[in-house]
Each structure stands twice: as structure tokens, then as C-alpha cells.
Amino acid sequence: MYLSRLLLSKGYEVYGLVRGQNNPKREIIEQWAPEVKILTGDLLDQSSLLRALNASQPDEVYNLGAISFVAYSWENAQLTSQVTGLGVLNILEAIRLYAGDDIQKVRFYQASSSEMFGRVQEVPQKETTLLWPRSPYGVAKVFGHYMTINYRESYGMHASSGVLFNHESPLRGPEFVTRKISIAVARIALGLQEQLTLGNIDAKRDWGFAGDYVEAMWRMLQQETADDYVISTGETHEVREYLDIAFNHVGISDWEKHVFQDPQFFRPAEVDLLIGDSAKATDTLGWKPTLSFEGLVKKMVDSDLEIEKAKAGK
């Protein structure tokens, strides 16, 4: 959604690809960015991707499509692999066929992920760090990442990958830990619930604001030469730090009595310390994050406070 708004602000005519006629995302897009023209398609159906390309006649294609909830990927490894991995190949091939002899007429962005680093081989992680994914989602992202590189090197396609570390916002799905916490904190502060159940609160992540990260995506496709970039804040924080800031923001200092850990929410193979080195993006793209970790947490809590107040009629 933030990418759509950014592109619209720059005068782009923006098309969005939505799977299925009754997809709930359609209503969200219509509310958030009503100027976006919605096309129906499926990353697993190459013919639908070709139809979408012919209908939109794009100069740039941003592929953010994936089954992106890591915990879900263990339960549905095959579907995750097809959508998150094979889907990238399908859209790359569709662009190649659409572009014909003018292979660079469409610039392509692939949303790669810090989950590709998994069992990290160096700290911080940069573009040359060995990939060692620890989830079906991470493995699928590695496939898409290398397929993007392959199309760039084999066909000369202007195809770039952004290896994005965790990018959060008030639009994050409620199944993700950051939004799960911000919703629960808002509801606890309003007296609407008493406790929050989480998995590993000692897990460490490099969390940034999605609104900052879409600027990096756009900048990649404005470069004369396509390449891959790590996009991150360069800071790492534990889940418990997120809890500290979120609860303190609503005036609750003793949050331990509200938070419980449940082994069912622990990953079968936990990802180690994730912290990105975005020096290449800073030097080449002129990009830096603008919103601090504390500011991000407060922004998400404030948003969910407003939503929960509206729901409760307060």
C-alpha cells in the first residue's frame, strides 16, 4: 500500500494485481489508494500475468506477492514454495515474453527477504553473505532471488532484488508479532482484554518502517544498472524491547503479568541474529531509514488504539 501511494505521488499510473474476485485485499486497496487500477491475476497462472502486462503496458513491475507469514510456511510448504518461489519465475518469464526484443523496456523489482540468511554466517548481513534459510518461506525466497539474478545475467533484464529486513507498519497483518503486540497493547490499555500470548520474546530482528523501505524499492529501479541491495536499519532489537516500548507508551510499566509464552508459537528452526548492513544502498541509492524503532512501535500502537476505540465506541 505504501508503494502504491509513493508511486501515485510521483505521477505514476498504478495497477495492482489481485488474486480472485472476492479477495479481501481488494477493499483495502480501494480504501487506501482508490486511484490504483485493479487487475485480476495469479502468480501461478502465467497467462493471467501476460494479460495483466498487456492491459497495463508497464515501465516498472514490483513483485511483492508471496505467502509471507513464516509460521504458515511449515504447515503449507508446497503452496508457499509455489507462490513465493515459482511465482517469481512465472512473472519473470511473463515479462521476458511481453518485452520481446526490447528486454529492458520493463524494469523489475523482486522483494527478497532477510529470512534468506536464516542461520546467519556473518554479522551484520550484506549482499555477499552466504544464504542459509531455515524455513520453507526462506527457501522459496532464495529461489526467487537467484532466479531474478539469473534473468538479469542471462537475458539482460533490468531486474533488481531488495533484500528487505523486517518492515513493519500499521498495515501489517495481525498474525505478525509486531502487529499482534500493538493490537493487544491497545486492547489491554482500553480494558478490552487481559493477556497476550507470544512465542519467543528473546528473538532479535532488524525492524524498520515499510514507508521508508518502499522508497528504496523505487530508487533501485531508477538506477541505470540493476543490482541487489540489503535494505535495513542496521539495528537489532528483541521482541521484549518492542513490548517495553509498546506497553510504556500506554502507561503500563509492568507488562510481564499480561504476556505469556506458548511453545506452539516457537519456530521449528529459529532464525539467528538478523541485522542488516545497508551501506551499499546508502552509497548507491542515497537511501537511509527515517523512522526510529521507538517511533515505529509508537506509531503502530497509536494506530491500533484509534482502531480499537472506534470498534468499542469509545
Side-chain angles (χ1 to χ4, degrees):
M1 302 300 175
Y2 286 98
L3 178 60
S4 296
R5 282 195 168 180
L6 174 69
L7 296 176
L8 288 166
S9 73
K10 295 181 180 295
Y12 281 61
E13 183 177 11
V14 180
Y15 290 80
L17 188 72
V18 173
R19 179 179 178 271
Q21 291 182 331
N22 297 317
N23 193 314
K25 294 290 186 181
R26 178 183 289 267
E27 184 177 351
I28 296 172
I29 295 170
E30 290 171 345
Q31 292 176 352
W32 182 257
E35 304 94 330
V36 172
K37 299 174 176 63
I38 299 175
L39 301 173
T40 300
D42 191 325
L43 286 174
L44 299 184
D45 179 7
Q46 193 174 93
S47 63
S48 74
L49 299 177
L50 278 167
R51 286 195 298 272
L53 290 168
N54 283 314
S56 59
Q57 302 284 304
D59 298 306
E60 298 172 0
V61 171
Y62 296 82
N63 179 37
L64 280 61
I67 293 178
S68 58
F69 187 44
V70 176
Y72 179 87
S73 75
W74 274 286
E75 300 174 13
N76 296 273
Q78 185 177 49
L79 182 60
T80 297
S81 300
Q82 290 173 337
V83 174
T84 308
L86 187 60
V88 183
L89 172 58
N90 286 340
I91 195 164
L92 283 166
E93 183 64 8
I95 291 171
R96 187 183 73 83
L97 294 172
Y98 167 77
D101 294 334
D102 187 9
I103 192 63
Q104 289 212 353
K105 79 173 184 177
V106 179
R107 297 188 173 193
F108 176 73
Y109 170 81
Q110 166 59 17
S112 291
S113 169
S114 60
E115 289 288 332
M116 301 189 306
F117 294 119
R119 187 175 178 180
V120 298
Q121 300 302 293
E122 64 177 331
V123 177
Q125 295 86 53
K126 49 184 179 288
E127 292 79 8
T128 56
T129 301
L130 177 68
L131 305 180
W132 196 316
R134 303 199 79 193
S135 68
Y137 169 77
V139 172
K141 279 292 186 181
V142 170
F143 176 88
H145 180 73
Y146 278 123
M147 195 58 70
T148 301
I149 293 172
N150 187 259
Y151 268 67
R152 182 171 71 224
E153 295 181 347
S154 298
Y155 299 114
M157 184 182 292
H158 194 293
S160 296
S161 285
V163 185
L164 270 61
F165 281 64
N166 292 61
H167 40 293
E168 313 297 322
S169 80
L171 297 177
R172 193 58 138 155
E175 70 273 22
F176 290 89
V177 66
T178 50
R179 186 77 194 289
K180 185 176 182 180
I181 293 171
S182 64
I183 292 172
V185 168
R187 291 179 58 80
I188 290 169
L190 295 170
L192 300 174
Q193 73 180 62
E194 288 294 323
Q195 68 180 54
L196 165 63
T197 304
L198 298 172
N200 180 14
I201 64 173
D202 296 311
K204 297 178 180 180
R205 294 292 184 272
D206 184 329
W207 279 300
F209 175 47
D212 285 338
Y213 285 26
V214 297
E215 174 73 24
M217 299 177 192
W218 175 78
R219 292 191 182 201
M220 288 178 211
L221 296 200
Q222 311 318 304
Q223 303 304 304
E224 184 176 344
T225 303
D227 207 343
D228 307 316
Y229 299 89
V230 164
I231 305 299
S232 65
T233 68
E235 299 178 3
T236 189
H237 301 274
E238 293 182 348
V239 174
R240 64 173 62 248
E241 291 181 68
Y242 192 106
L243 290 164
D244 281 337
I245 296 170
F247 274 102
N248 274 305
H249 188 52
V250 296
I252 300 173
S253 57
D254 182 22
W255 55 261
E256 286 86 353
K257 64 183 179 182
H258 295 288
V259 178
F260 299 87
Q261 290 183 276
D262 188 330
Q264 72 169 312
F265 295 119
F266 282 67
R267 294 185 179 187
E270 182 58 84
V271 168
D272 299 316
L273 176 60
L274 288 177
I275 178 171
D277 178 356
S278 293
K280 181 178 176 181
T282 299
D283 294 342
T284 305
L285 306 178
W287 177 86
K288 285 184 178 181
T290 63
L291 187 62
S292 68
F293 175 67
E294 182 176 356
L296 172 63
V297 177
K298 291 179 178 179
K299 184 181 185 72
M300 294 183 68
V301 172
D302 286 341
S303 174
D304 279 315
L305 275 170
E306 292 303 312
I307 292 171
E308 294 302 325
K309 283 179 183 177
K311 287 180 180 178
K314 293 190 176 185

